[in-house]
């Protein structure tokens, strides 16, 4: 397969940034000033120029294969939404290659079984992936709102439509089962962050932090795009500095 593109900015220890359904610019714009002290490595997943398009569909398993060689230098890794699925698979396969993991609202719905709000989030996500712009209008708008798309009462903006079409046919998040115990047992320092905008995401993130014995952080104000929320960049940098040597997990805190 053609290699994906990673664009780097700054100097210092490397922080590998893995976006989800939105591109790197939208996802990580607010933390760009960290390049004064860190090398920010912006991953462009398949289908997001200048990386090549996917051969068949968006697929977190393919993302994991793409990410694996990028872990050789033991970077810190920060991953958002769908991008966190491939990140977790890659990290579980080689936990010693990850200095730390920051995970932002990943759609690991299976971690909270029998919760009606989490189950609805999963159904909506899988339906939009399967049906794209043919998804019923009310359900499409609900999902787009949950995932932070800038929509109002009018037609969805052109870039939002393009994003839905790019994701159409993608591998459902309900199929993701990363080996979390491999990451936990290796003592990888973990921070799980959420935006306090949807109860389902809060419950998923609570469960994920418990499963990984990780730290937990909540940053309201930017919806699903938590990296843009007030205080997130400072919290992330505190976590990175605490684990800059990658020698072991710190005590879990909220």
């Amino acid at each position: 397969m053609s290699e994906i593109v990673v664009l780097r900015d700054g100097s210092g220890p490397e922080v590998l940034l893995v976006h989800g359904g939105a591109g790197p610019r939208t996802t990580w714009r607010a933390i760009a000033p960290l390049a004064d002290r860190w090398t920010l490595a912006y991953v462009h997943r398949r289908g997001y120029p200048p990386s090549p398009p996917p051969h068949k569909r968006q697929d977190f398993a393919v993302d994991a294969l793409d990410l694996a060689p990028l872990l050789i230098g033991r970077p810190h890794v920060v991953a958002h939404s769908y991008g966190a699925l491939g990140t977790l698979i890659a990290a579980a396969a080689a936990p010693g290659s990850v200095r730390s993991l920051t995970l932002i609202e990943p759609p690991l719905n299976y971690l909270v079984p029998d919760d009606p709000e989490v189950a609805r989030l999963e159904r909506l996500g899988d339906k939009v992936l399967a049906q794209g712009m043919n998804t019923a209008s009310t359900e499409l708008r609900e999902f787009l709102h949950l995932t932070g798309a800038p929509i109002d009462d009018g037609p969805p903006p052109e870039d939002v439509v393009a994003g839905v079409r790019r994701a159409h046919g993608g591998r459902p998040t309900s199929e993701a089962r990363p080996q979390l115990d491999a990451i936990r047992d290796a003592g990888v320092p973990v921070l799980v962050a959420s935006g306090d905008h949807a109860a389902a995401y809060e419950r998923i993130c609570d469960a994920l932090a418990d499963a990984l014995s990780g730290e937990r952080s909540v940053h309201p104000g930017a919806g699903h795009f938590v990296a843009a929320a007030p205080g997130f960049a400072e919290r992330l940098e505190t976590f990175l500095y605490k684990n800059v040597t990658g020698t072991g997990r710190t005590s879990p805190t909220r």
Side-chain angles (χ1 to χ4, degrees):
M1 294 187 295
S2 301
E3 293 184 354
I4 59 171
V5 173
V6 181
L7 301 179
R8 290 176 170 82
D9 182 36
S11 60
E14 182 163 291
V15 181
L16 193 70
L17 302 172
V18 186
H19 66 90
R25 183 185 300 272
T26 299
T27 306
W28 308 120
R29 182 187 299 117
I31 65 172
L34 295 184
D36 290 344
R37 296 168 295 280
W38 308 86
T39 297
L40 301 183
Y42 296 92
V43 171
H44 291 66
R45 294 172 51 237
R46 292 182 182 274
Y48 295 81
S51 285
H55 289 291
K56 294 182 179 180
R57 61 176 182 171
Q58 292 288 328
D59 188 334
F60 51 79
V62 174
D63 289 342
L65 295 175
D66 287 333
L67 292 169
L70 301 177
L71 303 183
I72 292 174
R74 290 196 74 222
H76 299 276
V77 185
V78 183
H80 179 246
S81 195
Y82 194 95
L85 303 181
T87 297
L88 283 165
I89 294 170
S97 297
V98 179
R99 200 171 298 273
S100 75
L101 270 176
T102 299
L103 305 164
I104 305 172
E105 296 198 349
L108 291 170
N109 307 296
Y110 78 95
L111 291 175
V112 191
D114 303 321
D115 183 287
E117 292 184 72
V118 173
R120 179 160 181 78
L121 176 63
E122 180 175 81
R123 286 195 302 272
L124 287 171
D126 284 358
K127 182 171 287 189
V128 172
L129 286 175
Q131 300 180 5
M133 290 303 298
N134 294 322
T135 307
S137 176
T138 54
E139 292 180 315
L140 178 60
R141 285 184 173 278
E142 182 180 356
F143 180 74
L144 291 174
H145 176 72
L146 284 169
T147 55
I151 58 173
D152 52 26
D153 293 334
E158 185 176 326
D159 60 337
V160 172
V161 173
V164 173
R165 289 176 174 159
R166 179 171 48 220
H168 188 186
R171 187 167 185 174
T173 62
S174 57
E175 296 181 8
R177 294 292 188 277
Q179 299 299 309
L180 301 180
D181 56 341
I183 297 171
R184 181 194 63 237
D185 293 347
V188 177
V190 173
L191 172 65
V192 181
S194 61
D196 197 24
H197 63 101
Y201 279 123
E202 295 304 309
R203 292 165 190 163
I204 291 168
C205 288
D206 286 345
L208 180 60
D210 286 344
L212 293 174
S213 298
E215 300 183 29
R216 185 73 171 87
S217 185
V218 181
H219 301 275
H224 187 50
F225 290 99
V226 180
F232 175 82
E234 293 81 2
R235 179 68 176 88
L236 172 62
E237 189 163 34
T238 297
F239 176 72
L240 295 176
Y241 272 127
K242 184 160 51 176
N243 297 292
V244 71
T245 61
T247 54
R249 180 183 295 119
T250 57
S251 299
T253 60
R254 191 171 180 85

